[in-house]
Amino acid sequence: MRRAAPAARARPLILIVEDELAARLLMRATLEEGGFDVVEAGSVAQALLQFQQAQPDLLLLDVMLPDGDGVALCAHLRTLPGGDVPIAMVTGLNDAESILLAYQSGATDFIAKPISWDTMAYRIRYMLRARKALLDLSLSEREMRLSAKVFDACNEAIMITDQANRIISVNPVFASITGFSAAQMLGRDPRILADGAAQRRHFGAMCATLRQSGSWQGELACRRRDGGGYPAWFSLSLVRDADGRQEHLIAIFSDISARKAQERRIAHLAYHDELTGLANRTLLADHAGLEIAKARREQGMLSLLFVDIDRFKNINDSLGHNAGDELLRQVAGRLSTVVRAGDTVSRMGGDEFVMLCPGTADGAQLAARADAILRELARPFEIFGMALHVSASMGIACFPADGETFELLIRNADAAMYLAKDCGRNTFQFYTPELSVNVLERLQLEMDLRRALAQQEFVLYFQPKLDAVSGALNGAEALIRWRDPKHGLIPPNRFIPVAEEAGLIEPIGQWVLGEACRQLLRWQALGIAGLTLAVNVSARQFKQADFVASTEALVRAGGVAPALIELELTESMLMSDAGQTAEKLRELKGLGFSLAIDDFGTGFSSLHYLRHFPVDVLKIDQSFVREMFDDAAALAIIDAVIALANALGMASVAEGVETEAQRTTLREHGCRTVQGYLIARPMPADEFVDWVRAYRAGRA
């Protein structure tokens, strides 16, 4: 057994185990004179103690000891840590049997008495040298075995050549990468791995560099046995002999095809959109910079077309993001087919695409191109077996009239695109300077809206609704207002459209419903009971997949019965997907909510679907009430809405009643409920409470 070697000694340490004092003294004197240090023991017990404490480099062990024999002690020492040191048996017994027994117990050598003192130091030095040689050999063998294991287990290919640059050894990974077995490669020139004559010449030049510097690293194009090419990363080292001549060349290499593919993918993604493969904003900006510089040098022109898919969020919400992604891929494909050579089509993110068209800014040509693009996008898309019809809005900005930098052009084209949406969508608009002011105002309004939502700057106003015949107060409509710190009270028609475009209408709608519930509870606590509260629902809110569940949860959490809440929806949003709409309305009705169609008569209703909707109220738009005495058609529409409501078992509510004559006429024509300035303007919560108390007291 081995133990950790003692600290390096200046002189070897010899342990003498001898029971005769005179013999020990002679041995000590002889050995110390010969250049050794000595420790002594006169018995087996002392020998064991000295062996463990001193860790000698060699033992001189007498066979005959007072408490045992040296042969047995030798055998025992071989089992202890450090027991592989040389042990020389010293004895007067000189028969063959005793010598054999000593060697069998593990003795290294046998010194017979009388001892030859002149040669003792030489014999001990020889035994120590022999042991060191054995240890070095053992270490070398272990290192060779370890090297062989590393060679075989290495994850990279290893190739070793001789002085003549012929392969003499390869590891298993070499075969898996190159397709050549060890037997096929031994004795061959490694240039057989190079892909083509040019690479073989490069391999030769590389070897010349290697002979000068001793090492080399780099990429080489290689070819497998089956003919397939691959890039490999090589690390080469030159091994020289004692005279400095090349003895071996060691090459370690790996197939870096996967890494190179990943690098190409990363480089591609740096300049291309991952979903569609089109140029991204970075690449578009590069191309635009080059084309703008060229147009400036040559006094040329170029245009930027900003394309946005109309109501794309509705597609994502109703059909899912997979369908939305597939639509974007197909839109990208169609846009790529309508461009000219030299144009750049890019995706900016979301459903926004930009086309860079050098060499043209002629209004008529651009209008024709824009119209052709919109027609191409209007053709139905087949998405997962469904024919999907979409439209797009487009804004156009031209260099140099509309901007002399990429950022300015894209901002102005974006502004023109929003104008196209405001003009009804599915159209295009050219940029005009007035749009920049509008865009900045809209951007500022959006930022202010986000702040208002975070800092709770919204308030609810309430407008009462009266029974048209009895005059009884039967409810109110909750109307949102924005109390801006700088601009005061802002009406909803100023900020609701921006909130819808910015994706803020859902959290605002939830706030309105939650605040309405809080006010109902407060009124009940103040003794004002028996009122229902109408709350407007936006199209985006209603289209949310979890609208029914989230609405119920919000009202229940507010501690209000759903029967006290009337949800107002517009007819246009109900008709966009009549099948899903009917199901949602039935679920809401089943939970106890009252349902009203707001601004009825201003959209395009389907009477077929309407009779299947579980709606409670039809609200007559105030535009008809305002014109009822000046336009016979307006009064006819009012009569038709009232008759339709009565026929379907619904109530009718007239909005915008401002004169007594209007109220009287509406009552005579059968309208059940009225609201408007004649009764009261929308009021803050505290004023509404005072108004209700005063109104009820006056009636009493």
Side-chain angles (χ1 to χ4, degrees), residues 44-332:
V44 171
Q46 291 176 358
L48 288 172
L49 183 61
Q50 288 281 29
F51 179 80
Q52 293 172 346
Q53 292 180 349
Q55 300 184 29
D57 297 304
L58 183 142
L59 280 78
L60 292 177
L61 181 55
D62 191 12
V63 174
M64 305 298 294
L65 294 168
D67 55 349
D69 66 87
V71 173
L73 177 57
C74 179
H76 179 59
L77 290 174
R78 290 303 188 201
T79 66
L80 300 179
D84 58 345
V85 298
I87 300 176
M89 304 299 296
V90 181
T91 181
L93 300 175
N94 201 16
D95 57 283
E97 184 178 349
S98 299
I99 295 173
L100 178 61
L101 186 60
Y103 281 124
Q104 287 177 343
S105 69
T108 307
D109 201 355
F110 195 93
I111 300 177
K113 294 181 179 179
I115 298 172
S116 173
W117 303 108
D118 294 336
T119 61
M120 173 176 276
Y122 294 107
R123 293 189 65 176
I124 289 176
R125 192 165 282 111
Y126 170 78
M127 282 189 282
L128 289 173
R129 282 203 306 268
R131 178 175 184 259
K132 184 179 183 305
L134 288 172
L135 289 176
D136 290 345
L137 180 59
S138 176
L139 179 61
S140 177
E141 289 175 349
R142 289 199 305 273
E143 290 177 345
M144 289 180 63
R145 286 195 298 271
L146 179 60
S147 298
K149 288 181 180 179
V150 171
F151 187 78
D152 290 338
C154 183
N155 290 326
E156 296 179 290
I158 301 176
M159 173 180 65
I160 302 175
T161 68
D162 59 13
Q163 300 94 323
N165 207 30
R166 300 293 176 181
I167 297 173
I168 60 173
S169 182
V170 296
N171 70 341
V173 176
F174 179 95
S176 65
I177 291 178
T178 67
F180 291 101
S181 67
Q184 292 169 327
M185 292 303 296
L186 294 182
R188 304 185 73 172
D189 191 307
R191 281 179 289 187
I192 190 175
L193 301 175
D195 185 8
Q199 282 296 304
R200 284 193 288 274
R201 287 193 298 271
H202 178 54
F203 198 97
M206 172 204 67
C207 289
T209 303
L210 181 63
R211 281 190 289 271
Q212 293 179 356
S213 63
S215 63
W216 183 88
Q217 279 192 336
E219 182 181 330
L220 291 172
C222 296
R223 185 165 295 278
R224 297 184 181 86
R225 185 188 178 198
D226 61 8
Y230 65 97
W233 184 263
F234 275 78
S235 294
L236 304 178
S237 298
L238 192 63
V239 179
R240 302 181 187 276
D241 61 17
D243 297 325
R245 293 188 297 269
Q246 176 180 337
E247 187 173 26
H248 297 292
L249 173 66
I250 300 175
I252 301 176
F253 65 94
S254 56
D255 181 351
I256 57 172
S257 300
R259 191 184 81 189
K260 299 285 283 187
Q262 184 68 9
E263 289 173 355
R264 288 193 297 272
R265 173 173 166 74
I266 292 172
H268 180 81
L269 291 179
Y271 294 98
H272 293 81
D273 173 54
E274 185 173 10
L275 178 66
T276 63
L278 296 178
N280 62 9
R281 185 187 181 96
T282 302
L283 185 56
L284 176 67
D286 287 349
H287 286 188
L290 294 173
E291 294 297 339
I292 288 173
K294 179 181 178 183
R296 189 176 287 119
R297 286 194 311 270
E298 301 175 359
Q299 297 184 336
M301 298 179 293
L302 62 87
S303 56
L304 212 64
L305 282 60
F306 199 114
V307 183
D308 184 273
I309 307 302
D310 295 331
R311 299 183 179 89
F312 178 74
K313 188 176 185 300
N314 294 345
I315 296 171
N316 262 347
D317 292 343
S318 58
L319 301 180
H321 289 281
N322 288 339
D325 288 348
E326 178 60 23
L327 174 62
L328 292 175
R329 281 190 286 265
Q330 292 192 26
V331 167

